Amino acid sequence: MIEAFEKQTVRGAEAQAVSAHPHGILMKKAAGEVSDTVIELLLARGAKVAESPILGLVGGGDNGGDCLYALSYLAKLGYPCLALILSDNPHLKAMAAAEKAEVTIEQVDLAGNARQVARLAARRARAAKVWIDGLVGTGVNGKLREPLSQVVAELTRISTSDPHQFLRIAIDIPSGVFSDDGRLPGICLGADVTVTMGALKSASLLPPAAYEFGQVRLVDLGLQLSEPRLARLQARDVGEFWALPRAQDHKYTRGVVQVVAGSSSFPLTGVMCVEGAGRAGAGMVRYVGPEDAAFAILSRFPEAVVGAGKYQCLLVGPGIDSKDASRVRGAVNQAVQAATSGIPLVLDAGAIDLYPQIISQVPGGTLNHRAVLTPHAGEAARLLSALGAGGGRGGVTRAEVEASPAAWAQFLADKTQATVLLKGAVTLIASANETMFSQAGAPPWAGTAGSGDVLAGIVASVLAQHQARVEQSGHHMSASQVSFAVAAAAWVHAMAARNAAGLSLSEEPEAKGLTVLGAPIVASDIARAIPQAIAWALARV
């Protein structure tokens, strides 16, 4: 499991580690990892040492010191290195080491015009092959100040115009990423690789900041840290959690999913939900809906059973026509029944808009952690607005949710007491008083029609399988079990999408960042690849 921590937590642990290792030992270790990363990536590109000029963007504090030491190591190996000093207080010992290694030092007059400083930095950047970002680290809060904001804006413009020309290495965090919840208060200098020190920072797993980190490499400094509030499951975690069928199991004890989805207007919507649930291991998938929709589902997935019955998880929502009053009424009634019985309930797509109707009929007027909401940003914005968030501003917009998804996902979880899966390139799973999970790894092709329906089916299937187990012992699923199950489902969905797109499965799909593409896929491709993703997780145990 990947764990991430708030920056102040890491800084406190780092201070203790530094006091136990004097003489800059940890800084030099960190710098060594940065220089090794630069060398490895240049060698992978086939770049020659003498033809690989390296620019160090040097700020004050430890990040600037790391940068200077890294440049000194690279210069000793023959790489042409320039340290552009963009601070009035650079790390003196590291500066001396860089000078001794014959790194070219250029001190910038920060009292001059910010635009001129940015143009100078741009000229130096264009002449380099590698940029090492040591401008600011976790000790700074708020937006970048001048002239650094204009410097970063200019460098961002250059790298965006030719993304393959320059290799951008960030030290600890990309400059401009300051918040713990993933928000970007202003411009930041995105990285291809971030070499982070001691522990992952929360922002590296939370969008939109997570999109700026690129590949993340952790330098272990032996820090002593408390229990994280943010985590990401990997293959082994999913494999160990999976409810494996036993010899004595049958279709009813392996978990039954009941799907209330699709309609005469959208008859094929339920297909993806049913197939996602079935291929994720449910013993049976029931479908409750219009006759023509049922025929479409059976034509595609004949293993489904049409008609209501006993189940361990109810999935409601995709493809239900809001104009069909009878269909809406039936969906709401079934959702209320599941919510009041303690059986896991997944509200997806159209059912999220039905939340006010559902909750008005639930005793106590609230859901619990066994109810799972699966909105995308737009659906989350509508639900947040219906719940009164945004106040006099007229509610919450999709753009606001996309700018701060972690905060809004947690708000929804706290407000509804449900488990919230907020979909996106990085999918977040939030629950009141539980660890937040951040799952990624799917290629951008996974953002396609029906993909969310497949995910909803997987979520329902995992919950049903675990609910079947706990029922046999007379218990209910705990909040932590539900959160873990939903995160495991998101992992399976992402890995199935990778497999469908022709990408190799990896223990750490983040190893190449969040931009690996593969080939175009559709939702049915993801559904068919679910068993392989699960098998791969089980093989890692």
Side-chain angles (χ1 to χ4, degrees), residues 106-391:
E106 184 173 359
Q107 177 72 57
V108 179
D109 180 8
L110 300 180
N113 181 276
R115 186 60 183 158
Q116 292 177 343
V117 173
R119 288 173 177 171
L120 171 63
R123 289 196 297 272
R124 302 297 182 259
R126 288 192 183 94
K129 294 291 185 182
V130 179
W131 305 347
I132 302 179
D133 173 13
L135 289 175
V136 296
T138 57
V140 179
N141 292 305
K143 297 180 181 180
L144 286 172
R145 299 174 182 173
E146 296 292 6
L148 294 188
S149 62
Q150 286 205 42
V151 169
V152 167
E154 189 66 19
L155 296 183
T156 298
R157 186 185 64 79
I158 293 171
S159 62
T160 301
S161 65
D162 194 351
H164 303 296
Q165 177 66 26
F166 308 101
L167 182 61
R168 303 165 300 167
I169 311 294
I171 297 176
D172 208 16
I173 59 172
S175 291
V177 175
F178 299 119
S179 67
D180 285 316
D181 65 4
R183 289 179 298 110
L184 290 174
I187 193 166
C188 73
L189 184 57
D192 298 301
V193 178
T194 298
V195 183
T196 196
M197 310 306 169
L200 294 190
K201 314 307 182 288
S202 297
S204 68
L205 299 187
L206 296 176
Y211 306 137
E212 305 297 334
F213 279 74
Q215 175 194 355
V216 179
R217 298 188 176 191
L218 175 62
V219 180
D220 185 3
L221 300 179
L223 303 186
Q224 300 299 313
L225 294 161
S226 58
E227 192 76 14
R229 291 299 305 276
L230 179 65
R232 175 169 293 172
L233 299 185
Q234 295 185 284
R236 184 181 181 89
D237 307 308
V238 175
E240 290 177 343
F241 176 79
W242 210 259
L244 299 178
R246 300 159 298 191
Q248 67 270 32
D249 275 328
H250 48 78
K251 60 187 177 184
Y252 297 109
T253 61
R254 282 185 48 201
V256 178
V257 175
Q258 184 154 298
V259 177
V260 181
S263 62
S264 297
S265 301
F266 309 103
L268 294 179
T269 304
V271 171
M272 294 292 94
C273 300
V274 169
E275 187 167 0
R279 293 192 183 279
M284 178 190 293
V285 184
R286 300 182 184 276
Y287 176 74
V288 180
E291 183 177 338
D292 50 355
F295 178 78
I297 287 172
L298 291 175
S299 298
R300 170 62 181 268
F301 198 76
E303 295 86 351
V305 175
V306 175
K310 178 178 171 55
Y311 57 83
Q312 279 79 37
C313 184
L314 179 70
L315 166 58
V316 183
I320 293 179
D321 188 352
S322 61
K323 298 177 182 178
D324 187 338
S326 175
R327 182 70 168 140
V328 168
R329 185 165 53 252
V332 169
N333 290 340
Q334 291 190 61
V336 170
Q337 182 180 3
T340 55
S341 67
I343 295 176
L345 166 67
V346 179
L347 299 179
D348 184 57
I352 296 172
D353 291 330
L354 299 178
Y355 173 86
Q357 297 182 50
I358 294 169
I359 205 65
S360 68
Q361 300 179 43
V362 174
T366 185
L367 296 175
N368 60 55
H369 63 269
R370 290 182 292 278
V372 181
L373 305 175
T374 63
H376 55 57
E379 292 163 342
R382 291 198 300 272
L383 180 54
L384 285 162
S385 299
L387 292 172

Side-chain angles (χ1 to χ4, degrees), residues 297-529:
I297 287 172
L298 291 175
S299 298
R300 170 62 181 268
F301 198 76
E303 295 86 351
V305 175
V306 175
K310 178 178 171 55
Y311 57 83
Q312 279 79 37
C313 184
L314 179 70
L315 166 58
V316 183
I320 293 179
D321 188 352
S322 61
K323 298 177 182 178
D324 187 338
S326 175
R327 182 70 168 140
V328 168
R329 185 165 53 252
V332 169
N333 290 340
Q334 291 190 61
V336 170
Q337 182 180 3
T340 55
S341 67
I343 295 176
L345 166 67
V346 179
L347 299 179
D348 184 57
I352 296 172
D353 291 330
L354 299 178
Y355 173 86
Q357 297 182 50
I358 294 169
I359 205 65
S360 68
Q361 300 179 43
V362 174
T366 185
L367 296 175
N368 60 55
H369 63 269
R370 290 182 292 278
V372 181
L373 305 175
T374 63
H376 55 57
E379 292 163 342
R382 291 198 300 272
L383 180 54
L384 285 162
S385 299
L387 292 172
R393 298 186 293 105
V396 178
T397 67
R398 179 178 188 136
E400 288 176 304
V401 174
E402 291 173 337
S404 190
W408 287 119
Q410 192 61 58
F411 180 95
L412 273 179
D414 293 341
K415 187 75 172 179
T416 64
Q417 293 299 296
T419 301
V420 175
L421 180 152
L422 182 55
K423 293 180 283 195
V426 176
T427 292
L428 303 177
I429 296 90
S431 180
N433 303 315
E434 296 294 331
T435 297
M436 178 178 285
F437 288 98
S438 163
Q439 297 302 135
W445 298 117
T448 184
S451 177
D453 300 329
V454 175
L455 174 57
I458 300 171
V459 170
S461 183
V462 179
L463 289 172
Q465 292 172 66
H466 281 274
Q467 176 67 14
R469 290 292 174 84
V470 299
E471 281 182 357
Q472 294 172 29
S473 60
H475 297 95
H476 288 297
M477 294 181 70
S478 68
S480 60
Q481 285 177 312
V482 172
S483 291
F484 208 103
V486 176
W491 182 93
V492 168
H493 180 265
M495 294 304 103
R498 287 179 65 83
N499 193 17
L503 299 171
S504 63
L505 297 179
S506 167
E507 181 69 29
E508 297 184 59
E510 300 85 0
K512 293 186 178 180
L514 299 174
T515 58
V516 178
L517 287 172
I521 55 176
V522 293
S524 56
D525 296 327
I526 300 174
R528 282 193 292 267

